[in-house]
């Protein structure tokens, strides 16, 4: 099995996907509250100018075609569509998604971080720890 995407890159994408998945709709966008008064809870609210989505999309868009293809195949493997023995099939199927559409496809996948982590686990690739 050959993996073209760096596991460290996948770990970063997992981290950003977790941050993005934690976002919720703004409760009171015009509250005038400040972070010290509301215990910084607004950080979990999804505002249009929030950089989390852009960071996630940029991380995926920064991959080359082979790397983004492997990322899709890892996600499908983690979702249970393929297993380790079907890695070649997963990559071939991932090639059917145009490279320019892969970040939109991946970002639109609920539980992306979990699927990527499970995919690496199925492929017996250790998920590197991210540094703070």
């Amino acid at each position: 099995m050959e993996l073209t995407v760096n596991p460290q890159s996948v770990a970063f994408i997992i981290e950003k996907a977790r941050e993005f998945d934690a976002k919720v709709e703004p409760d009171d966008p015009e509250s005038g509250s400040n972070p010290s008064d509301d215990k910084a809870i607004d950080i979990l609210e999804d505002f249009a100018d929030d950089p989390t989505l852009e960071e996630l999309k940029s991380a995926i868009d920064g991959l080359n075609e082979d790397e983004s293809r492997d990322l899709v195949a890892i996600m499908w493997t983690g979702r249970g569509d393929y297993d380790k023995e079907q890695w070649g099939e997963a990559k071939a199927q991932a090639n059917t998604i145009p490279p320019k559409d892969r970040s939109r496809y991946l970002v639109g996948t609920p539980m992306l971080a979990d699927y990527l982590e499970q995919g690496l686990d199925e492929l017996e690739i250790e998920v590197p720890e991210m540094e703070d």
Side-chain angles (χ1 to χ4, degrees), residues 106-123:
L106 288 163
V107 169
T109 302
M111 298 175 46
L112 174 62
D114 292 336
Y115 291 147
L116 289 173
E117 201 165 40
Q118 291 167 4
L120 288 176
D121 187 53
E122 168 68 25
L123 297 170

Side-chain angles (χ1 to χ4, degrees), residues 77-92:
T77 302
R79 195 170 65 181
D81 299 336
Y82 297 93
D83 60 26
K84 185 177 181 177
E85 287 73 37
Q86 298 169 314
W87 178 245
E89 294 172 44
K91 287 180 15 173

Side-chain angles (χ1 to χ4, degrees), residues 18-71:
R18 286 209 195 289
E19 290 175 14
F20 178 67
D21 285 345
K23 298 291 182 173
V24 296
E25 289 298 316
D27 183 38
D28 185 9
E30 304 296 326
S31 72
S33 178
N34 68 48
S36 61
D37 289 341
D38 63 12
K39 297 180 177 48
I41 197 78
D42 283 349
I43 194 100
L44 296 176
E45 293 184 349
D46 190 15
F47 292 99
D49 63 346
D50 180 48
T52 306
L53 175 60
E54 272 312 305
E55 290 174 338
L56 176 57
K57 288 174 67 176
S58 292
I60 296 169
D61 287 337
L63 301 174
N64 67 36
E65 288 185 25
D66 290 340
E67 292 169 332
S68 66
R69 175 210 56 214
D70 281 9
L71 193 66

